Amino acid sequence: MTNQREEIATCSQVTKYYKKGEFTVTALKRACLSLFSGELVAVTGPSGSGKSTLLNVLGLLDAPSDGELHLFGEACHSMSRNEKQSMRRRYMGFIFQNFNLLPVLSAVENVELSLYGLSLSKTKMREAAIAMLAKVGLEQRAYHYPSELSGGQQQRVGIARALVHNPKLVMADEPTANLDSETASQIVQLMRKLAHEQGTTFLVSSHDARLMSKVDRTLSLTDGVLM
Ligand code: ADP
Ligand code: MG
């Protein structure tokens, strides 16, 4: 990682509301934040406080209702669906609470999913996926299926899949919620190590205050308001 802290994401006064009939839920209220390269940032707050909304907006999965969003120097709030998809594929990785591995694919094949569309040969894809699995300590398990792996190992495959294309920003929405506390803590430490080694920024949501000591910075949300 370079010592130069590069600003990779900025939210200015980002508001997100959901309308259902006559009811409006404001899930995010005028959020302002900046994320820098190579940092592991936690988003904490109770259930319903807007953590997933913030990650989905920053991950270009959901459009802000108001405000401006810049990622990697580009204005994203007014992008088309295709432009957003292309940004996601090139620059972003996603890690999920329930791991989201495809059960019919082996660990290495799951990791390779992030490399499709990047014009790599099969050999290069396999090499990159195996190298990434080695970084998360699963080289020996490359040909195992998700059902043959523990929860913590499955999440490490999830991390490898999120990072194999060398994204700038990784979104992880409660990635440790389905893990025991010891494994959860190992997963956070692994993300922190990879963030620092690869210069990748991680935005990780959690309602678990115990994990806080392991991150570089914490943002806390209460009723859609970022502290
Ligand atoms: P968290 O991830 O912290 O639990 P969310 O971001 O999922 O919180 O939700 C924040 C608020 O927005 C909640 O009140 C939730 O009910 C509401 N919300 C989230 N998504 C939708 C949606 N698609 N439609 C309506 N309300 C939603
Ligand atoms: Mg959530």
Side-chain angles (χ1 to χ4, degrees):
M1 181 193 165
T2 58
N3 292 324
Q4 195 74 35
R5 264 175 36 118
E6 186 195 348
E7 195 175 43
I8 59 150
T10 325
C11 279
S12 319
Q13 306 275 345
V14 167
T15 294
K16 176 70 191 181
Y17 47 80
Y18 297 102
K19 266 199 170 124
K20 269 272 154 75
E22 58 192 291
F23 297 105
T24 302
V25 178
T26 307
L28 203 57
K29 295 173 192 158
R30 298 178 165 275
C32 296
L33 71 91
S34 290
L35 298 175
F36 297 89
S37 53
E39 60 173 358
L40 173 60
V41 178
V43 181
T44 64
S47 178
S49 58
K51 301 182 296 296
S52 295
T53 303
L54 178 66
L55 266 63
N56 290 344
V57 167
L58 270 160
L60 304 180
L61 297 167
D62 215 348
S65 311
D66 199 8
E68 295 193 355
L69 172 62
H70 288 82
L71 293 177
F72 328 115
E74 296 194 49
C76 296
H77 42 276
S78 50
M79 275 184 176
S80 70
R81 189 182 281 256
N82 280 347
E83 286 172 312
K84 286 182 189 173
Q85 192 182 40
S86 152
M87 293 280 279
R88 284 201 303 271
R89 204 174 287 158
R90 272 156 59 208
Y91 298 129
M92 292 189 196
F94 295 86
I95 298 170
F96 305 92
Q97 177 174 338
N98 55 3
F99 323 132
N100 273 19
L101 303 178
L102 289 186
V104 296
L105 298 182
S106 64
V108 70
E109 289 166 339
N110 267 284
V111 174
E112 285 171 352
L113 290 175
S114 295
L115 297 171
Y116 283 97
L118 296 181
S119 326
L120 291 175
S121 68
K122 276 193 170 167
T123 315
K124 289 275 178 227
M125 281 203 331
R126 185 56 47 109
E127 275 172 19
I130 295 280
M132 193 62 232
L133 280 172
K135 280 194 189 176
V136 301
L138 284 181
E139 205 177 9
Q140 312 285 322
R141 299 302 197 108
Y143 297 96
H144 287 234
Y145 288 87
S147 62
E148 299 165 341
L149 301 171
S150 69
Q153 289 167 338
Q154 288 184 54
Q155 194 57 301
R156 284 194 271 157
V157 176
I159 292 172
R161 182 184 54 191
L163 286 175
V164 69
H165 56 304
N166 207 14
K168 290 176 190 280
L169 178 60
V170 172
M171 302 295 182
D173 197 357
E174 308 227 21
T176 58
N178 288 346
L179 301 173
D180 63 81
S181 57
E182 173 62 27
T183 308
S185 158
Q186 288 168 6
I187 289 290
V188 173
Q189 276 171 30
L190 175 63
M191 291 193 286
R192 182 153 184 240
K193 174 176 153 286
L194 294 169
H196 293 181
E197 274 176 17
Q198 307 206 167
T200 313
T201 305
F202 280 75
L203 191 61
V204 183
S205 80
S206 174
H207 57 256
D208 186 350
R210 288 167 304 171
L211 294 171
M212 288 314 96
S213 58
K214 312 271 178 4
V215 303
D216 298 319
R217 191 151 67 93
T218 300
L219 306 169
S220 78
L221 268 169
T222 310
D223 292 333
V225 178
L226 206 51
M227 301 295 166

